[in-house]
Amino acid sequence: MRRRDKVLFGSAAAALVGGGLLFATIGWVVWRESVATETTYAGSLAASLGQRAEAIFVDTRDLLAGFDRSDTPRCSADHLRALQQAAISRPYIRAIGYWQASERRCGVGFLPPEGLKPARADRIYDTGVIAWWPNKSTEVGGVQLFLMRYGDHDVAIDPRLLLDLGPLQQRRAGLWVEKLRLSASPWDAELPVPDAVSAGVTVDRSNGVVVSRFSRNDLLPIDVVAVEPLDSVWSRHASTLIAGAAFGLVLVALWILFILRYLQHQLSLATELRRAVAGERIRVQYQPVVELTTGHCVGAEVLARWTRDDGEVMRPDVFIALAEEAGFIQDVTLAVMRIAVRDLTQLRREFPDVAVNLNLAPADLHDERVGTILASSLAAAGLPPGAVKLEITERALVNSNTSRALIREFRRRGHQVAVDDFGTGYSSLSYLQTFELDVLKIDKSFVDAIGTEAATSQVIVHVIEMARSLGLATVAEGVETPEQERWLQEHGVAFGQGYYYSKPLDLGDYVEFLRRRRTRTAA
């Protein structure tokens, strides 16, 4: 697949996948916020219903306790008037009665004079409260009442009025006391029992509901479970969801615009680079290579540099990879080679033994084009093949007859061949033995680990030993400190390059560097 096709396919995939993910993420966030708002409200509803029910029980207990403490003669006009005022002021109370032992002496409300006498109480609490849950024996007028007695007075409560959901017709709620269902709204609502519901708020998507549970155990152990259809959340938060969807569409549009700009940049960048190569606007710098024992500069690695028309300096790893993907990396190699040969003609007039290292890409070993043009260029300049050393990366060491034959031919002509950035790829001793090489360059990452506790700090020793066993000279890349240089010398590494000696230099600065080094070593 050509690079243009790859870029187009990748951009289309990025636009679709990225746009889909952006929209889905915005939708998810907005939905989660809506659900969070709704669940907070649902939790507050369950809590408020539970607190209201508990307040009713506490108020009723306190009311009955007040009657027991009163000095008003029982069943007198004043006593009955007080019972009646208490019942009227509390809409959920249907009757209040006064008892002596098991006989109801008097009372007010809607119960028969003798009151209700279920067979046995459902609960007797340590607080003194006795309770009878709604059942057939507490039914009056078709309503099963909740009976509560404290001291010598009792009260009949309509459980339907313990829960007030107001106008929220879609919501259902139930009240349990001692795990027994006491009330519900609506009365016949189907609700999960408290033990089947986690405390707090749960979004049950399988059943399409939001379920909330509130529990309390001050006077009576009570639980409230409230349920609402999940669809109502959509309707209440429709405006938020629509706004979120609109925002998501805007982001998707911006993302697609970004992809289009990137696509334009990538396609135009490759075209611009191709024009720069054809117009000889690729320049080079030289990274000096120094003999560690003498400090003598024996040559330099040629590094390609490209400055775009707008002044942007492109990193070599970016535009070299771009040229490889676009299929014209050999043109870049040849452009660099022509500059290096031209500069060598000048350099060797003053420094006849200096050499330069030219980097070859994997594609340069697929055919004889680079080798043929290099040979003719050197011959035209009157330069020996040994003036140019060739560097190939580990990934270029493909097991093919063409690559092996080209490397063998390079060496036959007099070029030294080095494997660059060794240790970052997949080469092994047995694999290297199948290629004819002269130099092994140790990657900067291993040099950086010298004198540290990093796991790679011992790898460099094995790399040096491997090179020695193969009869290869060694060059350490990325030398930055005198301690690293000293360690490399002690372990038999022959050459080094890096910022400890010099940064990459333009030709004029490289000539000055050579002069300073020659003067110093001569002294």
Side-chain angles (χ1 to χ4, degrees), residues 86-155:
I88 291 174
S89 64
R90 294 165 175 81
Y92 46 84
I93 292 181
R94 289 294 176 257
I96 305 177
Y98 166 69
W99 294 73
Q100 281 187 344
S102 60
E103 296 296 326
R104 189 176 192 261
R105 294 300 185 182
C106 60
V108 297
F110 300 103
L111 298 186
E114 69 277 9
L116 298 176
K117 298 179 180 180
R120 54 187 295 274
D122 291 301
R123 293 289 188 273
I124 300 176
Y125 297 98
D126 294 338
T127 59
V129 173
I130 304 174
W132 291 263
W133 261 254
N135 58 71
K136 287 293 185 179
S137 63
T138 67
E139 184 174 325
V140 175
V143 178
Q144 295 181 359
L145 302 174
F146 171 67
L147 305 181
M148 180 175 170
R149 181 170 176 175
Y150 188 82
D152 293 333
H153 292 78
D154 78 338
V155 63

Side-chain angles (χ1 to χ4, degrees), residues 283-290 297-305 316 320 336-337 339-340 343-344 347 354-361 387-393 418-422 439-444 475-479 495-499 502-507 510 513-514:
R283 63 186 184 88
V284 303
Q285 287 187 318
Y286 296 92
Q287 177 83 60
V289 177
V290 174
C297 180
V298 297
E301 180 179 353
V302 186
L303 303 174
R305 297 291 185 260
I320 293 298
V336 172
M337 181 199 71
I339 299 172
D343 291 347
L344 260 175
L347 284 169
V354 76
V356 296
N357 296 15
L358 179 67
N359 288 288
L360 298 185
V388 176
K389 300 177 181 179
L390 303 175
E391 295 189 11
I392 57 178
T393 59
V419 57
D420 194 14
D421 300 329
F422 183 81
V439 180
L440 186 149
K441 299 190 74 174
I442 303 170
D443 187 67
K444 180 181 184 300
V475 179
E477 296 182 298
V479 181
F495 304 97
Q497 66 181 84
Y499 275 46
S502 173
K503 64 181 182 179
L505 302 170
D506 293 329
L507 178 61
Y510 177 53
F513 178 85
L514 283 169

Side-chain angles (χ1 to χ4, degrees), residues 214-231:
F214 172 83
S215 301
R216 204 172 184 93
N217 190 16
D218 285 352
L219 177 64
L220 299 174
I222 65 174
D223 291 283
V224 172
V225 174
V227 177
E228 180 185 16
L230 198 56
D231 290 343

Side-chain angles (χ1 to χ4, degrees), residues 111-354:
L111 298 186
E114 69 277 9
L116 298 176
K117 298 179 180 180
R120 54 187 295 274
D122 291 301
R123 293 289 188 273
I124 300 176
Y125 297 98
D126 294 338
T127 59
V129 173
I130 304 174
W132 291 263
W133 261 254
N135 58 71
K136 287 293 185 179
S137 63
T138 67
E139 184 174 325
V140 175
V143 178
Q144 295 181 359
L145 302 174
F146 171 67
L147 305 181
M148 180 175 170
R149 181 170 176 175
Y150 188 82
D152 293 333
H153 292 78
D154 78 338
V155 63
I157 295 176
D158 187 343
R160 299 173 302 176
L161 303 179
L162 293 175
L163 297 175
D164 182 12
L165 296 180
L168 304 175
Q169 299 299 322
Q170 290 183 308
R171 281 196 170 104
R172 296 166 288 149
L175 171 66
W176 281 258
V177 178
E178 288 276 10
K179 307 302 181 185
L180 298 175
R181 180 162 161 164
L182 180 62
S183 179
S185 178
W187 183 255
D188 58 351
E190 294 184 5
L191 297 161
V193 297
D195 286 344
V197 180
S198 301
V201 179
T202 303
V203 178
D204 184 358
R205 289 185 173 82
S206 60
N207 294 314
V209 294
V210 177
V211 184
S212 52
R213 174 187 171 188
F214 172 83
S215 301
R216 204 172 184 93
N217 190 16
D218 285 352
L219 177 64
L220 299 174
I222 65 174
D223 291 283
V224 172
V225 174
V227 177
E228 180 185 16
L230 198 56
D231 290 343
S232 62
V233 178
W234 284 99
S235 60
R236 274 196 301 277
H237 298 278
S239 59
T240 302
L241 295 171
I242 292 173
F247 180 64
L249 289 174
V250 170
L251 286 182
V252 170
L254 291 175
W255 170 252
I256 293 176
L257 179 62
F258 169 78
I259 292 296
L260 291 175
R261 293 293 298 273
Y262 170 80
L263 178 62
Q264 181 183 16
H265 178 268
Q266 285 295 305
L267 295 179
S268 63
L269 189 63
T271 302
E272 185 180 343
L273 175 58
R274 193 187 292 272
R275 288 199 303 264
V277 173
E280 299 183 352
R281 294 195 300 275
I282 298 296
R283 63 186 184 88
V284 303
Q285 287 187 318
Y286 296 92
Q287 177 83 60
V289 177
V290 174
E291 188 175 28
L292 297 184
T293 56
T294 65
H296 183 71
C297 180
V298 297
E301 180 179 353
V302 186
L303 303 174
R305 297 291 185 260
W306 176 40
T307 302
R308 298 185 63 194
D309 297 338
D310 60 4
E312 180 186 3
V313 178
M314 298 297 295
R315 299 200 319 271
D317 60 317
V318 173
F319 73 82
I320 293 298
L322 182 64
E324 286 185 316
E325 292 177 4
F328 60 93
I329 186 61
Q330 284 193 343
D331 294 330
V332 176
T333 301
L334 292 174
V336 172
M337 181 199 71
R338 292 187 183 100
I339 299 172
V341 170
R342 183 186 64 210
D343 291 347
L344 260 175
T345 306
Q346 174 185 338
L347 284 169
R348 288 179 71 94
R349 292 194 191 104
E350 185 175 351
F351 310 101
D353 59 341
V354 76

